[in-house]
Amino acid sequence: MFRYGWVLLLGIAVAGDPVACLAAQPDLDPEALEILKATMRSISGANTFSFRVRVTRDRQATNDQLVTYFNEDDVTVSRPDKIRIDVDGEHHNVRFLFDGKAVTLFDPETKLYSSHSAPATIDAMLEAVDKQGIHFPIRNLLQSKPYDSLVDGLQTAYIIGRVNIHNKTFIHLVFTETAADWQLWVEPGDKPVPRAIIVIYKTQPGMPRTVMDFSDWNLDAHPEPALFEFAKPDDAHEIQFLPLKAGQ
């Protein structure tokens, strides 16, 4: 299930709470679910993997206009307990590190950072930071069971068909939930991978969307352990997150 969020000071998103409601009669094409399962199996079956994603997010301004923001993320995952995300944002560049013991957010430009102890697995860490208001649009793909999280609450699942983009063929799938409609473009093969995801948040004002364009998938990455460790510069300064207001 995709969740809606927006950007904090450090370029991570603040989680919103979607309405939880199951459709009375889900209409789920078994072939669409099988393609989704095979795609998520490529990711969940990789002990270490990396990819690049360009994220486009809408935010409603005070005049109700939707304003679009961009960031590009380099993501490296080593299961079960390490993640690094380098965020090249429109307003901030941020480094997110999880080493199995702590999570650290670091801004290389301002030399500001924040570190917090965290549970010892990626799944547990994601749950913990979500409660603190830190949410990633790509969260489902980081979990150990991404397929289970994506099919939770589905009302419909269909195959639109095959499309040719830049001399490559992709499979186009569409899904609906109570709180969101989303689409997935899959690059087929022995290990199919996502190439794009678009999510429209139907219960949010203005029905904002998040677009994720994926590239540079490596399902057999070999990152050095030091990649996930925070080497604090001598001139870095620690800060704390502001507490979330009621209703955020």
Side-chain angles (χ1 to χ4, degrees), residues 140-170:
N140 302 83
L141 304 185
L142 305 177
Q143 295 173 318
S144 61
K145 297 181 179 180
Y147 175 76
D148 291 350
S149 69
L150 288 172
V151 298
D152 181 25
L154 279 186
Q155 295 177 333
T156 64
Y158 305 117
I159 300 174
I160 296 298
R162 291 179 177 264
V163 295
N164 293 317
I165 302 174
H166 300 307
N167 297 319
K168 286 190 175 182
T169 299
F170 303 94

mmCIF file of all heavy atoms in Angstrom, residues 140-170:
data_model
loop_
_atom_site.group_PDB
_atom_site.id
_atom_site.type_symbol
_atom_site.label_atom_id
_atom_site.label_comp_id
_atom_site.label_asym_id
_atom_site.label_seq_id
_atom_site.Cartn_x
_atom_site.Cartn_y
_atom_site.Cartn_z
ATOM 1 N N ASN A 140 8.222 0.635 0.035
ATOM 2 C CA ASN A 140 7.802 -0.736 -0.267
ATOM 3 C C ASN A 140 8.934 -1.554 -0.860
ATOM 4 O O ASN A 140 9.090 -2.740 -0.556
ATOM 5 C CB ASN A 140 6.618 -0.729 -1.231
ATOM 6 C CG ASN A 140 5.424 0.027 -0.696
ATOM 7 O OD1 ASN A 140 5.373 1.249 -0.814
ATOM 8 N ND2 ASN A 140 4.470 -0.672 -0.101
ATOM 9 N N LEU A 141 9.750 -0.935 -1.709
ATOM 10 C CA LEU A 141 10.825 -1.663 -2.376
ATOM 11 C C LEU A 141 11.979 -1.979 -1.437
ATOM 12 O O LEU A 141 12.797 -2.853 -1.734
ATOM 13 C CB LEU A 141 11.343 -0.849 -3.567
ATOM 14 C CG LEU A 141 10.305 -0.434 -4.610
ATOM 15 C CD1 LEU A 141 10.990 0.247 -5.780
ATOM 16 C CD2 LEU A 141 9.487 -1.628 -5.090
ATOM 17 N N LEU A 142 12.049 -1.288 -0.304
ATOM 18 C CA LEU A 142 13.115 -1.530 0.660
ATOM 19 C C LEU A 142 12.766 -2.647 1.630
ATOM 20 O O LEU A 142 13.655 -3.203 2.281
ATOM 21 C CB LEU A 142 13.415 -0.250 1.450
ATOM 22 C CG LEU A 142 13.763 0.997 0.630
ATOM 23 C CD1 LEU A 142 13.958 2.192 1.556
ATOM 24 C CD2 LEU A 142 15.005 0.758 -0.214
ATOM 25 N N GLN A 143 11.493 -2.981 1.733
ATOM 26 C CA GLN A 143 11.052 -3.984 2.700
ATOM 27 C C GLN A 143 11.428 -5.394 2.244
ATOM 28 O O GLN A 143 11.650 -5.643 1.059
ATOM 29 C CB GLN A 143 9.543 -3.883 2.904
ATOM 30 C CG GLN A 143 9.110 -2.560 3.538
ATOM 31 C CD GLN A 143 7.600 -2.414 3.566
ATOM 32 O OE1 GLN A 143 6.907 -2.738 2.610
ATOM 33 N NE2 GLN A 143 7.085 -1.919 4.684
ATOM 34 N N SER A 144 11.491 -6.321 3.204
ATOM 35 C CA SER A 144 11.864 -7.697 2.873
ATOM 36 C C SER A 144 10.774 -8.412 2.081
ATOM 37 O O SER A 144 11.063 -9.350 1.341
ATOM 38 C CB SER A 144 12.178 -8.474 4.155
ATOM 39 O OG SER A 144 11.042 -8.524 5.006
ATOM 40 N N LYS A 145 9.519 -7.976 2.225
ATOM 41 C CA LYS A 145 8.408 -8.576 1.494
ATOM 42 C C LYS A 145 7.630 -7.487 0.767
ATOM 43 O O LYS A 145 6.503 -7.155 1.125
ATOM 44 C CB LYS A 145 7.490 -9.355 2.441
ATOM 45 C CG LYS A 145 8.176 -10.543 3.123
ATOM 46 C CD LYS A 145 7.214 -11.287 4.037
ATOM 47 C CE LYS A 145 7.895 -12.481 4.688
ATOM 48 N NZ LYS A 145 6.975 -13.222 5.587
ATOM 49 N N PRO A 146 8.220 -6.907 -0.282
ATOM 50 C CA PRO A 146 7.557 -5.790 -0.969
ATOM 51 C C PRO A 146 6.229 -6.173 -1.605
ATOM 52 O O PRO A 146 5.296 -5.358 -1.632
ATOM 53 C CB PRO A 146 8.588 -5.363 -2.020
ATOM 54 C CG PRO A 146 9.467 -6.556 -2.209
ATOM 55 C CD PRO A 146 9.526 -7.230 -0.878
ATOM 56 N N TYR A 147 6.120 -7.402 -2.103
ATOM 57 C CA TYR A 147 4.856 -7.803 -2.737
ATOM 58 C C TYR A 147 3.718 -7.766 -1.736
ATOM 59 O O TYR A 147 2.634 -7.235 -2.028
ATOM 60 C CB TYR A 147 4.989 -9.196 -3.338
ATOM 61 C CG TYR A 147 3.689 -9.722 -3.909
ATOM 62 C CD1 TYR A 147 3.213 -9.266 -5.127
ATOM 63 C CD2 TYR A 147 2.934 -10.676 -3.208
ATOM 64 C CE1 TYR A 147 2.013 -9.742 -5.653
ATOM 65 C CE2 TYR A 147 1.738 -11.155 -3.724
ATOM 66 C CZ TYR A 147 1.278 -10.684 -4.934
ATOM 67 O OH TYR A 147 0.086 -11.143 -5.448
ATOM 68 N N ASP A 148 3.929 -8.310 -0.536
ATOM 69 C CA ASP A 148 2.876 -8.333 0.474
ATOM 70 C C ASP A 148 2.412 -6.925 0.822
ATOM 71 O O ASP A 148 1.211 -6.676 1.003
ATOM 72 C CB ASP A 148 3.368 -9.034 1.739
ATOM 73 C CG ASP A 148 3.582 -10.526 1.527
ATOM 74 O OD1 ASP A 148 3.173 -11.041 0.466
ATOM 75 O OD2 ASP A 148 4.168 -11.168 2.413
ATOM 76 N N SER A 149 3.352 -5.989 0.926
ATOM 77 C CA SER A 149 2.968 -4.629 1.292
ATOM 78 C C SER A 149 2.207 -3.934 0.166
ATOM 79 O O SER A 149 1.342 -3.088 0.420
ATOM 80 C CB SER A 149 4.211 -3.812 1.671
ATOM 81 O OG SER A 149 5.038 -3.566 0.548
ATOM 82 N N LEU A 150 2.495 -4.289 -1.080
ATOM 83 C CA LEU A 150 1.835 -3.635 -2.206
ATOM 84 C C LEU A 150 0.435 -4.179 -2.468
ATOM 85 O O LEU A 150 -0.441 -3.451 -2.940
ATOM 86 C CB LEU A 150 2.693 -3.784 -3.467
ATOM 87 C CG LEU A 150 3.973 -2.942 -3.497
ATOM 88 C CD1 LEU A 150 4.823 -3.315 -4.698
ATOM 89 C CD2 LEU A 150 3.651 -1.457 -3.506
ATOM 90 N N VAL A 151 0.202 -5.455 -2.193
ATOM 91 C CA VAL A 151 -1.127 -6.015 -2.461
ATOM 92 C C VAL A 151 -2.089 -5.799 -1.293
ATOM 93 O O VAL A 151 -3.297 -6.020 -1.441
ATOM 94 C CB VAL A 151 -1.054 -7.517 -2.805
ATOM 95 C CG1 VAL A 151 -0.238 -7.735 -4.057
ATOM 96 C CG2 VAL A 151 -0.492 -8.319 -1.640
ATOM 97 N N ASP A 152 -1.578 -5.370 -0.146
ATOM 98 C CA ASP A 152 -2.433 -5.123 1.006
ATOM 99 C C ASP A 152 -3.421 -3.996 0.700
ATOM 100 O O ASP A 152 -3.032 -2.868 0.444
ATOM 101 C CB ASP A 152 -1.568 -4.736 2.212
ATOM 102 C CG ASP A 152 -2.393 -4.498 3.463
ATOM 103 O OD1 ASP A 152 -3.507 -5.055 3.566
ATOM 104 O OD2 ASP A 152 -1.925 -3.743 4.335
ATOM 105 N N GLY A 153 -4.704 -4.313 0.679
ATOM 106 C CA GLY A 153 -5.729 -3.307 0.438
ATOM 107 C C GLY A 153 -6.058 -3.054 -1.017
ATOM 108 O O GLY A 153 -6.843 -2.141 -1.315
ATOM 109 N N LEU A 154 -5.498 -3.842 -1.942
ATOM 110 C CA LEU A 154 -5.811 -3.619 -3.348
ATOM 111 C C LEU A 154 -7.283 -3.884 -3.640
ATOM 112 O O LEU A 154 -7.868 -4.862 -3.174
ATOM 113 C CB LEU A 154 -4.965 -4.527 -4.240
ATOM 114 C CG LEU A 154 -3.534 -4.112 -4.562
ATOM 115 C CD1 LEU A 154 -2.934 -5.086 -5.571
ATOM 116 C CD2 LEU A 154 -3.472 -2.699 -5.108
ATOM 117 N N GLN A 155 -7.869 -3.009 -4.450
ATOM 118 C CA GLN A 155 -9.254 -3.197 -4.904
ATOM 119 C C GLN A 155 -9.309 -3.729 -6.328
ATOM 120 O O GLN A 155 -10.154 -4.556 -6.654
ATOM 121 C CB GLN A 155 -10.011 -1.869 -4.813
ATOM 122 C CG GLN A 155 -10.174 -1.349 -3.396
ATOM 123 C CD GLN A 155 -10.868 -0.012 -3.358
ATOM 124 O OE1 GLN A 155 -10.805 0.761 -4.315
ATOM 125 N NE2 GLN A 155 -11.530 0.293 -2.259
ATOM 126 N N THR A 156 -8.412 -3.213 -7.191
ATOM 127 C CA THR A 156 -8.361 -3.692 -8.574
ATOM 128 C C THR A 156 -6.913 -3.828 -9.007
ATOM 129 O O THR A 156 -6.013 -3.144 -8.502
ATOM 130 C CB THR A 156 -9.082 -2.739 -9.556
ATOM 131 O OG1 THR A 156 -8.397 -1.485 -9.584
ATOM 132 C CG2 THR A 156 -10.530 -2.527 -9.142
ATOM 133 N N ALA A 157 -6.686 -4.729 -9.953
ATOM 134 C CA ALA A 157 -5.365 -4.912 -10.556
ATOM 135 C C ALA A 157 -5.580 -5.377 -11.992
ATOM 136 O O ALA A 157 -6.256 -6.382 -12.228
ATOM 137 C CB ALA A 157 -4.551 -5.954 -9.781
ATOM 138 N N TYR A 158 -5.022 -4.625 -12.961
ATOM 139 C CA TYR A 158 -5.218 -4.939 -14.372
ATOM 140 C C TYR A 158 -3.911 -4.793 -15.137
ATOM 141 O O TYR A 158 -3.000 -4.069 -14.715
ATOM 142 C CB TYR A 158 -6.240 -3.998 -15.023
ATOM 143 C CG TYR A 158 -7.584 -3.929 -14.357
ATOM 144 C CD1 TYR A 158 -8.040 -2.737 -13.803
ATOM 145 C CD2 TYR A 158 -8.406 -5.052 -14.290
ATOM 146 C CE1 TYR A 158 -9.283 -2.660 -13.197
ATOM 147 C CE2 TYR A 158 -9.647 -4.982 -13.681
ATOM 148 C CZ TYR A 158 -10.084 -3.785 -13.138
ATOM 149 O OH TYR A 158 -11.306 -3.723 -12.534
ATOM 150 N N ILE A 159 -3.853 -5.459 -16.279
ATOM 151 C CA ILE A 159 -2.770 -5.260 -17.244
ATOM 152 C C ILE A 159 -3.292 -4.365 -18.364
ATOM 153 O O ILE A 159 -4.303 -4.680 -18.999
ATOM 154 C CB ILE A 159 -2.296 -6.594 -17.840
ATOM 155 C CG1 ILE A 159 -1.774 -7.535 -16.747
ATOM 156 C CG2 ILE A 159 -1.214 -6.349 -18.887
ATOM 157 C CD1 ILE A 159 -1.437 -8.924 -17.260
ATOM 158 N N ILE A 160 -2.607 -3.232 -18.600
ATOM 159 C CA ILE A 160 -2.975 -2.387 -19.728
ATOM 160 C C ILE A 160 -2.400 -2.948 -21.021
ATOM 161 O O ILE A 160 -3.055 -2.971 -22.051
ATOM 162 C CB ILE A 160 -2.475 -0.941 -19.503
ATOM 163 C CG1 ILE A 160 -3.185 -0.319 -18.290
ATOM 164 C CG2 ILE A 160 -2.705 -0.083 -20.750
ATOM 165 C CD1 ILE A 160 -4.679 -0.198 -18.445
ATOM 166 N N GLY A 161 -1.162 -3.432 -20.958
ATOM 167 C CA GLY A 161 -0.546 -4.033 -22.133
ATOM 168 C C GLY A 161 0.939 -3.734 -22.179
ATOM 169 O O GLY A 161 1.540 -3.245 -21.219
ATOM 170 N N ARG A 162 1.556 -4.033 -23.320
ATOM 171 C CA ARG A 162 2.969 -3.763 -23.531
ATOM 172 C C ARG A 162 3.127 -2.462 -24.300
ATOM 173 O O ARG A 162 2.366 -2.189 -25.234
ATOM 174 C CB ARG A 162 3.634 -4.913 -24.300
ATOM 175 C CG ARG A 162 3.735 -6.200 -23.477
ATOM 176 C CD ARG A 162 4.378 -7.318 -24.267
ATOM 177 N NE ARG A 162 4.532 -8.511 -23.449
ATOM 178 C CZ ARG A 162 5.635 -8.845 -22.793
ATOM 179 N NH1 ARG A 162 6.710 -8.073 -22.900
ATOM 180 N NH2 ARG A 162 5.694 -9.945 -22.074
ATOM 181 N N VAL A 163 4.115 -1.663 -23.885
ATOM 182 C CA VAL A 163 4.362 -0.380 -24.536
ATOM 183 C C VAL A 163 5.842 -0.296 -24.895
ATOM 184 O O VAL A 163 6.699 -0.855 -24.201
ATOM 185 C CB VAL A 163 3.966 0.807 -23.632
ATOM 186 C CG1 VAL A 163 2.472 0.806 -23.378
ATOM 187 C CG2 VAL A 163 4.721 0.771 -22.306
ATOM 188 N N ASN A 164 6.135 0.384 -25.993
ATOM 189 C CA ASN A 164 7.511 0.588 -26.430
ATOM 190 C C ASN A 164 7.927 2.019 -26.122
ATOM 191 O O ASN A 164 7.291 2.975 -26.585
ATOM 192 C CB ASN A 164 7.650 0.314 -27.930
ATOM 193 C CG ASN A 164 7.432 -1.144 -28.267
ATOM 194 O OD1 ASN A 164 7.926 -2.027 -27.565
ATOM 195 N ND2 ASN A 164 6.677 -1.403 -29.332
ATOM 196 N N ILE A 165 8.998 2.172 -25.325
ATOM 197 C CA ILE A 165 9.510 3.483 -24.960
ATOM 198 C C ILE A 165 11.021 3.444 -25.150
ATOM 199 O O ILE A 165 11.706 2.613 -24.555
ATOM 200 C CB ILE A 165 9.167 3.839 -23.500
ATOM 201 C CG1 ILE A 165 7.647 3.798 -23.279
ATOM 202 C CG2 ILE A 165 9.723 5.208 -23.132
ATOM 203 C CD1 ILE A 165 7.233 4.004 -21.833
ATOM 204 N N HIS A 166 11.532 4.362 -25.982
ATOM 205 C CA HIS A 166 12.977 4.443 -26.247
ATOM 206 C C HIS A 166 13.548 3.075 -26.639
ATOM 207 O O HIS A 166 14.568 2.628 -26.134
ATOM 208 C CB HIS A 166 13.712 4.993 -25.036
ATOM 209 C CG HIS A 166 13.269 6.366 -24.628
ATOM 210 N ND1 HIS A 166 13.229 7.429 -25.505
ATOM 211 C CD2 HIS A 166 12.851 6.846 -23.429
ATOM 212 C CE1 HIS A 166 12.806 8.519 -24.861
ATOM 213 N NE2 HIS A 166 12.560 8.186 -23.612
ATOM 214 N N ASN A 167 12.831 2.405 -27.548
ATOM 215 C CA ASN A 167 13.279 1.124 -28.112
ATOM 216 C C ASN A 167 13.337 0.007 -27.071
ATOM 217 O O ASN A 167 14.038 -0.994 -27.277
ATOM 218 C CB ASN A 167 14.642 1.282 -28.786
ATOM 219 C CG ASN A 167 14.604 2.230 -29.963
ATOM 220 O OD1 ASN A 167 13.657 2.222 -30.754
ATOM 221 N ND2 ASN A 167 15.628 3.071 -30.083
ATOM 222 N N LYS A 168 12.620 0.165 -25.989
ATOM 223 C CA LYS A 168 12.501 -0.904 -25.004
ATOM 224 C C LYS A 168 11.025 -1.200 -24.770
ATOM 225 O O LYS A 168 10.179 -0.324 -24.878
ATOM 226 C CB LYS A 168 13.170 -0.529 -23.676
ATOM 227 C CG LYS A 168 14.685 -0.555 -23.719
ATOM 228 C CD LYS A 168 15.267 -0.409 -22.326
ATOM 229 C CE LYS A 168 16.771 -0.560 -22.333
ATOM 230 N NZ LYS A 168 17.339 -0.472 -20.954
ATOM 231 N N THR A 169 10.722 -2.459 -24.445
ATOM 232 C CA THR A 169 9.348 -2.871 -24.213
ATOM 233 C C THR A 169 9.099 -3.013 -22.720
ATOM 234 O O THR A 169 9.885 -3.644 -22.006
ATOM 235 C CB THR A 169 9.058 -4.216 -24.909
ATOM 236 O OG1 THR A 169 9.247 -4.069 -26.315
ATOM 237 C CG2 THR A 169 7.616 -4.648 -24.644
ATOM 238 N N PHE A 170 8.008 -2.410 -22.246
ATOM 239 C CA PHE A 170 7.640 -2.460 -20.839
ATOM 240 C C PHE A 170 6.209 -2.971 -20.706
ATOM 241 O O PHE A 170 5.398 -2.804 -21.619
ATOM 242 C CB PHE A 170 7.745 -1.078 -20.192
ATOM 243 C CG PHE A 170 9.108 -0.458 -20.304
ATOM 244 C CD1 PHE A 170 9.404 0.414 -21.339
ATOM 245 C CD2 PHE A 170 10.100 -0.758 -19.388
ATOM 246 C CE1 PHE A 170 10.658 0.983 -21.460
ATOM 247 C CE2 PHE A 170 11.363 -0.197 -19.495
ATOM 248 C CZ PHE A 170 11.641 0.673 -20.526
#
